[in-house]
Structures are given as C-alpha cells and as structure tokens.
Amino acid sequence: MPAIELSHVTKRWGGYYGVDDLSLSIDDNAFVTLLGPSGCGKTTTLRMIAGLETPTSGKITIGDKVVFDSATGVNVPPNKRKVGFLFQNYALWPNMTVRQNIVFGLENDKTLSKAQIEERLEHVSSIVKIEPYLKRYPSELSGGQQQRVAIARTLAPRPDVLFMDEPLSNLDAKLRLEMRSELQRLHVDTGATFVYVTHDQTEAMTLATRICLLDNGLLQQYDRPLSLYRDPVNLFTADFVGSPSINFINASAAGSGSVIDLTLLEGKHLTFTPNTPLDLAAARSAIAADAQAQAAAEAERSKVKGYVKKENTESNFKYRVPTVDGNTDPAAEYVVGVRPESVRISEDGPLTGVVYSSMPTGMDTTLRIRVGNLLLTSVVFGSVDYALDEQVRFGFAGDGVLLFDAGSGKQVARGRLG
Amino acid sequence: METTSTFTLAMRRAGAYFKKPWNVVLLVVGVALTITTVSAMSAIVLDTVTVHPGQSDDPTGAGANCALFSTSTSCYTLLNWKNLFAPAMGKLLEVNFLTPLLNSVLLAAFACLVALVYGGIFAYLVTRTDMPCRKWLSAIFIFPYVMPQWTLAVVWRNLFNSAEVTGGSDGLLASVFGLRMPLWWCQGLFPSSLVLGLHYSAFAYIFIGAIFRNMDANLEEAATILNTPRWKTFLRITLPMIKPAIYSTTLLVFSSAMGSYPVPHYLKLSTLTTQYVSMNVAKAGQASILAVTMMLFGIALMVGNQLTTSGRKSYTTVSGKSGQISKIQLGSVGRWVIAGVFLVLTLFTSIYPIIAFAFETFLPNPGDYSFLRTGDPDDLTTKWWTTSDTNDSSLFGQPGILFNPTIWGGVRGQLIVAVGAALIAGTIGLLIGYCVAKNRRSKWANFVNNMAFLPYLMPALAVGVAFFIFGSSLGLFNTFALLIITGTIKYIPFASRAALNSMLQLSNEIEESAMIQGIPWWKRMVRIIIPIQKTSIISGYMLPFMTCLRELTLFMLLCSQTKIITLELDYFDEMGLYAYSSAINLILIVIILVCNTAVNKLTGASIDKGLGG
C-alpha cells in the first residue's frame, strides 16, 4: 500500500539547492502537509514525488515500487505513478465542459466501460456537489465551483495518493474555511493518502495528521501538528508555527539540574525549572559536537563526484526579538520562547509592564506588553479590554516555556519559568 | 543494494530522456535545421572561392586558379575576392561593391526611421488618444505590409515618372497635370526608403502598439500625480517602456530592407541586392561575396538581438492589470484633423494602389492617361483581359490575362509553394515553440530556438542565394521542393515565435494535469494544447502563407521565371506588357486580402497576433 518513502532526495539548479538531502516517510492513509515559507522547496518536493520534476539525486518509493532512483536510473513517468494532483490554479481545460474535464482522463483508461465512467462521473460530482454545472465551461463558473470541479477531476480516476499544491490559496477567506473542512471529510471518505502543500500554518495545523516543515530546502521538523506547536526542535519551527507568533526573549543562564537562573528582560532574574533535569554545559557541548559531525558529513559529501557547493546558505533563519524603537536587542547565549497564551496577566505576577496595544476580537484579546524597550505578546481569552499605557502585572504560566541555544537555534529544554 | 553497470545506467537515463516527446522533437528538428541552415550558408562561402565555368574575367588557365586548394572535381581560388576588392580597373570596386554597400546600409537605416516614426506615431494615436475611426484606420494601416512590397514602388513610379526626367513613358501626374518631379524624388534612395519604410511601418505599429496596449496606465498616472510635465512623462516613462519594441522593429526592418530586391530594382537604386543580380551571371563568384556581406549583416543583427533580448526581460512586468487606460484628449477639432491626415495617408498607401493597378489594366497603351482628360470610355480598353487573338503583335502572342495559361499557372505555382511552406513551417514552428517552452532551462532548446530564428534576420536575397547554390548542387533547381524548403526555413521564425509566445502564456499545469491522468502526448496536443491556443497557432500558419504568397526576392534565383506568379512580373515587364504586370499585382493583392479576411473572420487569427509584439 502506498506509503511514500523519500531518501536523500536533492534537487538543485546550478548551485541553488531547492531541496537539500530530504528524507521523509509518509504513512499510508496519512494527511501530510508540506509547510514552509515561499521558496522553501515544498512545491518542488511534491512535484518530484508526482514525477513532474526530476530530482538531481536520491530515491523515491511509492508503495513497494521504486519510482525514482538516481543510482539505478529508474524514473517512472508521472502517468504510471497512479497519483492524483490538484493544482493551485486548478488547471481546468478551458476548451472542455465540466463533464468533459472529468471524463477525459477516464476515457483513457481502457479497463473502464461507458457505464462505469458514467457512474464515476455521477459519484464524484455528487461528492463535491457540482451536478448542476456539468454542461458549463470553466470560465462560466465561480472560483469555488472551479475548485470543486478540479477536485472532482482529480478524484475520478480514484488515485491512492492525492497531491495538492496550495489548492485553497485562490479562494476568499470564507470559502477557504468551508473547503478546508470538506477536504478533511474527503480524506476520511476516500481513504487515500493526501500530501498537501501550503504556506499557511493554520491550514497545515488544522488539516494535517503530520506536518513536514521545510526551510531553505532543508527539513526542519516532521511531526504531528500539536507536537510541532508544543515541542519545536528549533527557533525556526517555534517561530513559523503559531499565530500570533511565539515570544522570543534573550537570556543568559547559570546553574544546572532542575534550578536554572535566567537573567532576561533587561536584568530581571527568574528561575527556569526544566521538565527533566538539565546539564547546561553538556547540552551545549552536545550541540557543538552535532554541528561538527554535520560539517564533517558535508566535507564527505563534497568529495563525491559531481558535488556542487550550496550557494543559498545565507538565507538561513535568524530569530528576531521585537523592540519598541526597532533596534535589535543585543544577542545573548540563550533564547527563551513563550507562546502568547502562556504570558498570563495576573495581580500576583512577578513582572510588570505597560500595555502598548490592545486588540480585542470578542473571543480573545491580543495584548502587546512593553517591558523597558522590549515587547511581549499575550493572548487573554474572553471579552476583555485594556486601556493603553495601563500598568499590568504578568507572569509565565504552564510547563511549556522553551529554552533555545541562541547560536545553533536548537531547543535545549522545556519547563516552567517563574 | 543492487549494483547497476554504467552502461545500463546510461541506457536508462537515455530512455527517460527520450520518453519525453519534446526531447525527441527538439533533437530531430534541431539536427535537421542545423544541417539545412549551416550547409546552405557555408555553400555561399564556398562559392566565393569556387572557379565558375566560363568565368569571363579569368585571364589565366584553369590550372593556375587552384591556388587555394583543390579536390578531384573542383578547384578553389581567392581570385573572386581579388577581382572584387582589387580589380584591374579602379572604378570597379566602387561600382560593384562600395556604392551598393553604402546604399544598402542607408536604405535600411532610413527605412527603419520612416517605419518607426510613422508606425510609432500611429500606434500612439490609436492606443492612447481619442482619435476617431481608430478601428477602421488600424485595419487598413497594415494593408501595405500584407501587399507585396513593390506595390508602392510601382505606384510611385507610375505616378511620378516623366519622359523628360526619368525617360520612358510619362507617369500619371506628368501626363495629366504636366507635373514633373525632380529625379531624386522619382527614383533612388529617397523613394526607396520611403516605400520600404511605409511597407514595414506595420511592424512598428504592431510591436509598439502591443506594448502601449498592455502598458499599465498607472505608470504614467503615477507620474502625473507627482506633477510631472507631460513631455517629461513621455520621455522618461513612456519611451523607455517601448524601447524593446523599437529594438525589435529596427532589427527586423533593417534586415528586411537590406535584403529587398524589387523596391531598389523598380526605383533604380544600386544596392547589394540589385548588384548581386546584375553580377550573378557573368561574375557569380564575386556576386557570392556580396551575398556573404549581407549574411554578415544578418549575423550582426542576430547578435544585436541577443543583446537586446536579455535586457528585454526587465520589461516583462509591463503587462499590468489596470484595464483603465486614460485616453489623451486631442481636442474636438484636432482629433478630426489628425484622423483626416491619417485617413488620406492610409488611403494612398492601402486603397489607391488597388485602384491604380486596376486602372492601369484598362489603359490602351502604357502611360496613356487620355481617359482622365477626356472622360471618354473609348480611351480605355479591355483587350488586355479578354483577347484570345494570339496573333496580335502588340501582345507578343500572349492571350488575354483571363485566359493566359502562364499567369494562372504562376498563380497555381505560388499557391502550391505558399501552402506547402506554410504547412511545414507552421508545424515545425509549433513544435519548436512548444518544446522550447517545455524546456526553458535547456541549452540545446535555446540553441534550436536560435537556429530556427536565424533566417528571420537574414536578408531574403542572401537566403535565396544560399539555397540557390545548395539546391543546385542537389539537383533541385526549378523544383517546387526547393521553393518550399527555402520558404519553410525562411519563415519558420514567424511560426515558432507565434507558437512560443502562446505556449509561454499557457500554464504548464494545464498539460501536467492531463499527464498525471495518463493521457498520451498526441492526445494532449490535439485535445488540449492546440484547441486552447488555436488562434495564435493558426496565425503561425497564416504568416508564412501570406508572406510566401507575395514573396519575390527569396525565390527569384531558385526557379524559372514562369514557375510562380511574382517572378512573372519581370517577365511581362521585359516584354513591355505593363498591363499584365499591373494585373498580376492586382490578382496578388486580391488573393491576399481575400485570404486574410477569410482566415480572420473564420478563426479570429490575424497578422498582428502572429507577430505577437
């Protein structure tokens, strides 16, 4: 059954690495989203699995069939991979009616009888509710209807794997929400494996059973959505997932075991209690060793014939600490990451700040709190509002506060801060 | 881990490469085009060092000529070069080479200037102002390009010639009004460049107009809001925007004007083309040097095109979304005055020639305009059309135009060539456009594209010479096959450009969505790609067809004079049967206009879409 396996897949144009040494395994019946900022290589990855793009090197397996292997020269054309592909701009054939668009691919399958084709057409058009439009041309349909036709056309040949390239990005906000829930139903109803490309993290969070987060061609983290949110492995993941964004606070640390002293927010002292005891020095040297091993592996790779140096390295993620005057906060050894909902306003909070801005939506209120020159974001649930420049006391709730190594960006520990 | 031998690996990779149909097409077409074009071009070069049988200015014996190198069958020498550049008589260099070269360059340069100014102003007026009758004017503005390029030259000659100034019979103005224009006005550089410029102004209009039409008016409006004077907006914003169109017009007009034979021939200007023709018989080797010179200009233009197209990319954002183009108000009087001026000009260049040619066929004798003075229908005759008396000495035994087998045979020949060349060039061009669009990053695809593009900027006569020498060596002289091959090679660029432009507009996903459903290549082409882009694809077929229908320069060396109708013009002119050549021009124009209108009405394809700006 179609579990999809990518091993060491690389795609480069000259020295530009679109996808850099990506290994990924997608379970049967999963709903995986490829997530990342634009240009991170997610669409390229999808197109390589579908066979529309040829990888520079690596191996791709769909089910138990190797569809691409640079070492043995295997390259199965896209039509033989038995996949469906839903394109961003729908790619409906404008010269054919809705009905012809759906049936065209089916007629090509010699094993299907006329009656079977009719039955498929009826079935898929009822799933996406487009029966009234079968005689129309794509240009006579609204964006949402075109989208449904594209889905119907993709579903008609009953592919085991369905690829979708930002299928909702051309729809308006309301329709997008509606289609999102329909896609979720579709996944369950068809039982197919879905691979879905998006740059919208909410879409990824809400739809996927697993998210593959990419940046600059490199795999950052491959995990369930909530794990990605709660336990990001590095600063990039922490920053990319979640809206409003996570708070980053520069800090310096001392101590070991389960009591670590953090100096942060312009000289304030707080105690960080890691969920599992932590040896700071050991953690740091482990990170350094890791970096060294990676450099050695890279050096090894560079000896292989045909190696091209990666040119697009300087666009690696750099975290940013928001400040009032727009200047950068001087870098420190560690970065503390706190989700906005963990910045809790309370009478007995250990810290004080001033309300910089307050944006109530009715369901919750997003606050920006100013501490000296630094800004923190907090989400307060319920219908509350704050006066600007009002003084508030606040603290950090829960055991989900994250501690990162600033240099490498790697997560060191999760714990409480108080 | 299975181990795979290098050979199997290479075979599998090649297999994957050739599984993509566009790779196969590119390889086949690329190799075929390269062989044809390169061998034809090198044939001319080789011809310049070949000893030609019966070379009249060859004082020494054949054995002494093989100074360069020799093979068992022919021998090669630098004698032709020496004879041209260091002739025994000093004046010959000037007459045979320097004057024609200078005239050719001047003619091409002035033609560019006329085309750009006239076509550019017209494009601006049509697209950006509230001039009335825009639609109608723009329809007839491209007539001169659709018609044979010598149309206006012949009209000019028939209008202004006079027995006193130019010799021969009086033209219309001289015989009716006694108006005698000076010689520089009647023939030579001035009328030649004017006529060619007017003929090619359609290019300028189509290229520049396309940019004006797509240009985001916000660009200019932004400047207006910043309180920039209108002239400054025009100079600093509008003009730089149309720069790419100016470049492409210049390149195309320059090479076309340079390769034009009939216009300087009718207006008696000595250029490389006319000089080539006059030297071709007695001094074939030296004539080939003239052809090589023209070819070098073509290559230089090609390089220039490469340089400017790399800069052209930066203008691709021009096709903006703003549909609101604010029209410039010309004033209630001004707009009608300007429209009137262009109406008169376009009537003269587009409608008048048709009337004039028709009128000429009813004159009892060439230049006998007595009907215009007397208004007596007896001063006209229909004998040129209807006579079947082959003993009439004034007709040299030729039956009337309507029954003349030579003329209608020529029309048939021209149609065969045009249809053949259009079908092949259109199909190859379509394939090239499609494959290059599919393979934009590949160097080979770019090479094939450039190879197909090369003849575009080659002067027509040089291409004709190349295929004359190439075809003769293959024994193809005076066959339709040679004419069709030549027409195909010369006009593939029209088709490939039109196809490439339309393919680039077509999102790749349209085809990929069919590919993933396992629809085979031919079916994708026939059911999806071609139906969607049918208008521009038909334009790709139509352009070579129209151009071949009225092509003279390219074919004149390749067959006998009675094979195709355009070549019969000179045939009848030499007999003094000017009514016949007028009739031929009329027949050609009517056929072309009928075809053009029919295709346009039936499919919506049109010349300007094919050139695609």
Side-chain angles (χ1 to χ4, degrees):
Chain A
M1 262 283 111
I4 301 169
E5 193 83 45
L6 278 75
S7 73
H8 302 287
V9 172
T10 295
K11 173 76 184 176
R12 60 174 178 79
W13 293 274
Y16 183 88
Y17 280 69
V19 173
D20 190 358
D21 197 26
L22 176 67
S23 297
L24 193 68
S25 135
I26 295 171
D27 296 337
D28 181 27
N29 202 14
F31 193 138
V32 169
T33 55
L34 301 174
L35 176 68
S38 62
C40 72
K42 52 195 188 301
T43 297
T44 311
T45 306
L46 192 71
R47 290 172 58 87
M48 286 192 295
I49 308 175
L52 297 170
E53 199 95 56
T54 308
T56 312
S57 64
K59 183 176 172 182
I60 301 174
T61 317
I62 298 180
D64 41 18
K65 190 173 170 196
V66 177
V67 293
F68 179 85
D69 190 350
S70 60
T72 58
V74 173
N75 190 1
V76 177
N79 48 326
K80 299 272 163 61
R81 296 193 184 186
K82 294 200 186 83
V83 296
F85 203 114
L86 191 59
F87 291 91
Q88 182 175 4
N89 62 12
Y90 319 143
L92 294 176
W93 301 309
N95 55 322
M96 298 184 190
T97 60
V98 169
R99 190 200 148 80
Q100 287 168 325
N101 259 290
I102 297 172
V103 168
F104 190 52
L106 297 177
E107 284 171 344
N108 221 47
D109 186 345
K110 295 282 179 289
T111 62
L112 289 176
S113 71
K114 273 227 153 78
Q116 280 171 312
I117 291 178
E118 251 352 90
E119 188 202 302
R120 290 263 185 110
L121 172 70
E122 237 164 76
H123 181 233
V124 293
S125 45
S126 73
I127 292 180
V128 292
K129 305 180 197 78
I130 48 163
E131 296 105 323
Y133 317 122
L134 288 180
K135 291 216 173 83
R136 294 211 201 160
Y137 283 93
S139 58
E140 295 163 345
L141 300 176
S142 73
Q145 290 163 342
Q146 288 183 18
Q147 171 69 279
R148 286 159 194 275
V149 175
I151 293 176
R153 186 180 69 180
T154 316
L155 289 179
R158 304 210 174 132
D160 296 329
V161 191
L162 203 66
F163 298 123
M164 289 174 268
D165 184 4
E166 308 219 14
L168 305 185
S169 64
N170 284 353
L171 300 178
D172 65 64
K174 203 171 161 202
L175 208 52
R176 202 178 309 158
L177 216 62
E178 207 176 291
M179 288 305 295
R180 228 186 256 168
S181 78
E182 287 188 28
L183 282 180
Q184 213 167 29
R185 279 307 324 164
L186 212 60
H187 176 232
V188 177
D189 293 346
T190 57
T193 305
F194 278 31
V195 185
Y196 186 106
V197 159
T198 181
H199 65 265
D200 180 346
Q201 54 101 10
T202 359
E203 211 164 282
M205 292 291 289
T206 48
L207 284 176
T209 55
R210 283 193 129 196
I211 293 177
C212 164
L213 184 61
L214 293 164
D215 184 36
N216 203 19
L218 287 164
L219 177 65
Q220 303 293 323
Q221 192 165 356
Y222 181 47
D223 222 331
R224 280 175 295 123
L226 289 179
S227 311
L228 214 65
Y229 186 81
R230 257 189 250 130
D231 198 6
V233 296
N234 60 24
L235 286 168
F236 173 79
T237 310
D239 185 61
F240 196 83
V241 176
S243 168
S245 298
I246 195 168
N247 291 297
F248 287 138
I249 310 163
N250 282 322
S252 55
S256 200
S258 51
V259 181
I260 291 167
D261 267 331
L262 292 184
T263 312
L264 71 175
L265 292 171
E266 303 188 337
K268 300 191 178 60
H269 290 277
L270 288 175
T271 308
F272 180 69
T273 320
N275 295 345
T276 50
L278 170 73
D279 182 348
L280 268 185
R284 280 179 74 85
S285 57
I287 287 169
D290 214 33
Q292 235 167 26
Q294 233 175 36
E298 176 69 21
E300 201 58 43
R301 266 171 75 188
S302 71
K303 282 181 199 138
V304 179
K305 197 173 148 250
Y307 171 83
V308 177
K309 195 170 164 17
K310 184 172 179 176
E311 280 162 11
N312 50 322
T313 47
E314 64 291 334
S315 46
N316 285 341
F317 178 72
K318 291 182 185 65
Y319 73 97
R320 217 175 59 84
V321 176
T323 54
V324 175
D325 59 11
N327 291 334
T328 45
D329 192 48
E333 264 182 299
Y334 293 92
V335 180
V336 174
V338 192
R339 292 282 172 200
E341 65 272 19
S342 300
V343 178
R344 190 74 50 86
I345 311 283
S346 65
E347 296 288 307
D348 54 351
L351 300 165
T352 53
V354 172
V355 175
Y356 186 71
S357 68
S358 163
M359 287 165 284
T361 65
M363 190 164 68
D364 55 34
T365 300
T366 306
L367 275 184
R368 298 266 265 172
I369 303 168
R370 175 183 174 159
V371 182
N373 189 31
L374 301 174
L375 288 173
L376 292 177
T377 308
S378 161
V379 171
V380 183
F381 294 99
S383 224
V384 281
D385 197 5
Y386 294 85
L388 293 196
D389 292 334
E390 179 188 346
Q391 209 168 55
V392 287
R393 295 194 70 82
F394 68 97
F396 303 110
D399 60 357
V401 175
L402 300 156
L403 187 66
F404 297 94
D405 171 54
S408 64
K410 292 220 163 86
Q411 194 214 106
V412 183
R414 233 150 59 92
R416 298 177 174 280
L417 185 62
Chain B
M1 188 83 197
E2 72 175 297
T3 49
T4 318
S5 77
T6 332
F7 178 72
T8 348
L9 195 60
M11 285 306 286
R12 280 189 188 162
R13 288 216 174 116
Y17 182 82
F18 286 115
K19 233 173 233 159
K20 294 180 179 162
W22 45 91
N23 286 331
V24 181
V25 172
L26 272 183
L27 196 68
V28 173
V29 171
V31 169
L33 272 185
T34 313
I35 291 176
T36 332
T37 314
V38 169
S39 48
M41 278 168 57
S42 42
I44 315 190
V45 178
L46 202 60
D47 197 59
T48 65
V49 291
T50 305
V51 176
H52 291 264
Q55 222 165 16
S56 62
D57 53 353
D58 174 11
T60 45
N65 284 328
C66 304
L68 204 55
F69 60 93
S70 64
T71 62
S72 54
T73 49
S74 14
C75 58
Y76 298 96
T77 169
L78 283 174
L79 201 64
N80 294 319
W81 291 84
K82 188 177 152 274
N83 284 345
L84 183 69
F85 289 107
M89 290 200 304
K91 274 256 178 68
L92 275 182
L93 173 64
E94 216 178 303
V95 172
N96 286 343
F97 185 73
L98 292 181
T99 315
L101 176 65
L102 180 70
N103 280 341
S104 279
V105 173
L106 286 178
L107 173 66
F110 284 130
C112 283
L113 196 68
V114 173
L116 279 175
V117 170
Y118 185 57
I121 290 176
F122 186 73
Y124 185 80
L125 288 171
V126 166
T127 54
R128 310 307 296 274
T129 70
D130 63 345
M131 182 175 73
C133 316
R134 287 193 300 270
K135 213 170 168 188
W136 198 78
L137 278 175
S138 70
I140 60 170
F141 189 84
I142 55 173
F143 267 33
Y145 176 68
V146 177
M147 296 192 290
Q149 55 170 255
W150 59 86
T151 306
L152 284 174
V154 174
V155 165
W156 191 276
R157 193 186 64 172
N158 290 347
L159 208 54
F160 294 113
N161 269 14
S162 58
E164 284 86 344
V165 183
T166 58
S169 56
D170 269 344
L172 186 82
L173 291 180
S175 69
V176 179
F177 302 108
L179 187 69
R180 283 170 185 79
M181 300 304 281
L183 190 62
W184 63 266
W185 176 275
C186 298
Q187 46 184 235
L189 187 59
F190 169 73
S192 300
S193 34
L194 190 66
V195 159
L196 276 177
L198 290 177
H199 177 69
Y200 290 120
S201 58
F203 282 144
Y205 165 60
I206 290 167
F207 288 152
I208 297 175
I211 292 194
F212 275 143
R213 222 167 259 135
N214 294 333
M215 192 167 135
D216 195 340
N218 292 349
L219 292 171
E220 283 171 328
E221 283 158 9
T224 313
I225 284 172
L226 291 171
N227 203 16
T228 319
R230 196 182 275 178
W231 62 268
K232 207 167 177 182
T233 311
F234 182 81
L235 279 185
R236 297 290 303 280
I237 293 165
T238 317
L239 212 54
M241 286 293 166
I242 58 167
K243 220 154 72 185
I246 293 180
Y247 285 144
S248 32
T249 314
T250 309
L251 291 169
L252 192 52
V253 175
F254 196 94
S255 71
S256 310
M258 181 145 224
S260 155
Y261 166 74
V263 170
H265 166 69
Y266 280 117
L267 295 171
K268 298 199 164 45
L269 178 72
S270 167
T271 62
L272 289 176
T273 50
T274 57
Q275 190 60 28
Y276 175 88
V277 173
S278 73
M279 287 166 71
N280 188 27
V281 179
K283 304 173 181 173
Q286 294 186 41
S288 290
I289 300 178
L290 300 189
V292 169
T293 314
M294 280 187 269
M295 215 165 71
L296 290 178
F297 270 98
I299 291 170
L301 291 172
M302 187 78 196
V303 173
N305 178 64
Q306 288 289 321
L307 294 179
T308 51
T309 35
S310 53
R312 204 177 292 172
K313 281 177 194 134
S314 50
Y315 289 102
T316 43
T317 46
V318 165
S319 52
K321 283 171 191 149
S322 146
Q324 304 278 320
I325 295 180
S326 55
K327 304 259 179 200
I328 288 173
Q329 311 287 317
L330 295 172
S332 54
V333 182
R335 57 196 286 252
W336 287 103
V337 171
I338 291 174
V341 169
F342 273 92
L343 199 63
V344 171
L345 285 174
T346 46
L347 280 179
F348 174 73
T349 56
S350 309
I351 307 295
Y352 174 75
I354 303 175
I355 300 167
F357 282 136
F359 183 61
E360 302 268 338
T361 61
F362 296 107
L363 297 184
N365 293 299
D368 181 356
Y369 294 100
S370 46
F371 168 76
L372 290 179
R373 284 191 300 267
T374 61
D376 181 357
D378 284 347
D379 285 330
L380 293 177
T381 175
T382 55
K383 71 168 177 181
W384 308 111
W385 285 97
T386 55
T387 187
S388 49
D389 174 14
T390 47
N391 296 321
D392 187 337
S393 66
S394 68
L395 273 81
F396 302 98
Q398 290 284 344
I401 299 158
L402 288 177
F403 318 108
N404 195 309
T406 317
I407 291 183
W408 296 107
V411 170
R412 207 182 116 248
Q414 196 91 31
L415 282 171
I416 291 175
V417 173
V419 170
L423 284 180
I424 304 176
T427 308
I428 295 180
L430 169 64
L431 289 175
I432 292 178
Y434 168 79
C435 297
V436 171
K438 279 270 154 199
N439 253 357
R440 245 169 295 171
R441 285 208 180 85
S442 134
K443 286 204 178 86
W444 172 246
N446 274 322
F447 170 78
V448 175
N449 192 29
N450 281 336
M451 209 45 171
F453 191 71
L454 186 68
Y456 188 67
L457 295 177
M458 276 290 157
L461 190 74
V463 178
V465 174
F467 279 90
F468 163 62
I469 297 167
F470 176 67
S472 305
S473 68
L474 295 179
L476 286 175
F477 180 77
N478 200 24
T479 60
F480 281 123
L482 179 60
L483 293 180
I484 291 175
I485 292 174
T486 312
T488 302
I489 295 287
K490 173 77 180 150
Y491 297 120
I492 279 180
F494 282 138
S496 67
R497 256 179 76 125
L500 183 58
N501 279 341
S502 64
M503 292 303 163
L504 289 179
Q505 281 163 14
L506 193 64
S507 144
N508 232 342
E509 300 181 349
I510 287 278
E511 200 190 340
E512 284 170 353
S513 59
M515 204 190 291
I516 252 176
Q517 298 206 344
I519 294 159
W521 179 65
W522 65 269
K523 208 166 172 186
R524 297 199 297 264
M525 289 300 279
V526 174
R527 293 287 304 276
I528 296 173
I529 309 272
I530 295 177
I532 294 177
Q533 292 294 12
K534 61 172 183 291
T535 342
S536 29
I537 289 170
I538 292 172
S539 306
Y541 282 94
M542 202 172 96
L543 270 169
F545 175 73
M546 295 302 220
T547 325
C548 276
L549 259 191
R550 55 162 178 67
E551 185 57 67
L552 186 157
T553 319
L554 184 65
F555 297 141
M556 61 193 235
L557 301 165
L558 303 176
C559 60
S560 67
Q561 261 185 322
T562 52
K563 190 123 184 142
I564 55 174
I565 190 77
T566 48
L567 300 187
E568 289 176 13
L569 283 171
D570 257 1
Y571 175 75
F572 288 110
D573 270 355
E574 277 159 20
M575 278 191 242
L577 294 172
Y578 294 107
Y580 278 55
S581 37
S582 292
I584 290 174
N585 281 324
L586 188 67
I587 292 169
L588 270 177
I589 293 175
V590 170
I591 293 179
I592 290 168
L593 290 184
V594 167
C595 291
N596 191 23
T597 325
V599 175
N600 194 318
K601 285 280 176 290
L602 288 178
T603 66
S606 68
I607 297 265
D608 37 327
K609 272 205 191 106
L611 288 172

